Amino acid sequence: EPEVTQTPSHQVTQMGQEVILRCVPISNHLYFYWYRQILGQKVEFLVSFYNNEISEKSEIFDDQFSVERPDGSNFTLKIRSTKLEDSAMYFCASSEGYNEQFFGPGTRLTVL
Amino acid sequence: AQSVTQLDSHVSVSEGTPVLLRCNYSSSYSPSLFWYVQHPNKGLQLLLKYTSAATLVKGINGFEAEFKKSETSFHLTKPSAHMSDAAEYFCVVSDRYSGYSTLTFGKGTMLLVSP
């Protein structure tokens, strides 16, 4: 059964460093998303991406964040200069249309 | 704006007994409602969804949920719990205002199943 994959499973970085979180969505899906979950808090929407551009983004998704689909398979989330409060579990998701979103297992980002 | 309230952070049941996970939502527009489950170190898996068809929705693994507009509720139930049901469950809403692309999650309910 096709699934969304994410790498790495755990990323540790120093404050101020850039990180790139990687996702491989399901191959025939056209919509891609990033969510995050700070420990003990709700899963929060960050951004959705369709047709090589951002379609929606939340207030959390500020200029420090960017997304890219560099090739036909990967979908990445970049944080330019990480802050302590960026520590969270980051989930990638994909969907065929405006229906079920399929989630990856997440990347746990720890900023020291 | 849409929002979801999961009324219990933890629910404990014995194997073989019924499960009830409560969820209330707020949405100004036609909502779609979902329940996702997350097992340890796994991604979020869709259990079931309501998208304005039948109000009683059946999902995987024997779970079902009933959409009650008058009560703004979408509680998740299962007649008989199994040890493998132990996981975290998220009630999720999206609506026409958000273009149905933005999912808003509840805080989650941890289901504990004892033998």
Side-chain angles (χ1 to χ4, degrees):
Chain A
E1 186 176 327
E3 58 182 18
V4 177
T5 60
Q6 291 184 243
T7 54
S9 57
H10 192 186
Q11 173 88 48
V12 181
T13 190
Q14 295 290 326
M15 190 170 56
Q17 295 295 305
E18 174 183 287
V19 294
I20 298 176
L21 309 183
R22 291 184 166 79
C23 169
V24 178
I26 293 172
S27 61
N28 64 330
H29 286 184
L30 301 176
Y31 297 79
F32 314 111
Y33 314 84
W34 283 101
Y35 293 80
R36 79 171 185 191
Q37 184 181 28
I38 295 171
L39 190 64
Q41 298 187 24
K42 295 183 181 186
V43 176
E44 301 169 291
F45 169 78
L46 292 178
V47 66
S48 60
F49 191 86
Y50 170 72
N51 199 25
N52 279 321
E53 60 184 26
I54 291 173
S55 46
E56 287 186 68
K57 61 181 181 179
S58 70
E59 293 174 354
I60 303 166
F61 195 86
D62 61 23
D63 292 344
Q64 292 297 313
F65 291 90
S66 62
V67 289
E68 193 178 30
R69 188 155 163 81
D71 52 43
S73 59
N74 289 283
F75 179 53
T76 62
L77 174 69
K78 182 193 291 186
I79 308 175
R80 286 190 184 80
S81 178
T82 50
K83 303 187 283 288
L84 294 176
E85 53 265 38
D86 293 327
S87 294
M89 181 73 89
Y90 288 81
F91 292 104
C92 173
S94 68
S95 65
E96 280 186 81
Y98 283 152
N99 45 25
E100 178 184 353
Q101 294 183 22
F102 290 79
F103 284 79
T107 292
R108 182 167 297 284
L109 176 65
T110 302
V111 182
L112 302 175
Chain B
Q2 56 194 22
S3 67
V4 172
T5 302
Q6 290 184 244
L7 297 155
D8 306 293
S9 60
H10 292 81
V11 169
S12 295
V13 300
S14 299
E15 192 175 21
T17 64
V19 175
L20 170 64
L21 305 183
R22 298 182 293 166
C23 172
N24 287 99
Y25 70 91
S26 172
S27 171
S28 301
Y29 300 86
S30 306
S32 291
L33 291 154
F34 311 80
W35 276 96
Y36 280 83
V37 61
Q38 185 179 27
H39 289 92
N41 302 314
K42 299 286 187 183
L44 294 154
Q45 180 186 20
L46 182 70
L47 274 181
L48 50 79
K49 61 182 178 184
Y50 165 78
T51 55
S52 78
T55 56
L56 182 62
V57 182
K58 293 188 185 299
I60 61 171
N61 301 334
F63 284 95
E64 62 182 40
E66 186 171 7
F67 173 72
K68 290 187 176 179
K69 187 174 181 179
S70 60
E71 298 177 11
T72 60
S73 69
F74 191 59
H75 301 333
L76 182 70
T77 60
K78 182 173 180 177
S80 176
H82 192 273
M83 295 296 291
S84 60
D85 295 328
E88 188 155 26
Y89 292 79
F90 295 93
C91 183
V92 180
V93 64
S94 70
D95 64 23
R96 187 159 48 87
Y97 180 78
S98 72
Y100 293 115
S101 68
T102 305
L103 300 183
T104 298
F105 281 72
K107 278 195 167 185
T109 298
M110 185 67 72
L111 177 64
L112 307 168
V113 183
S114 56

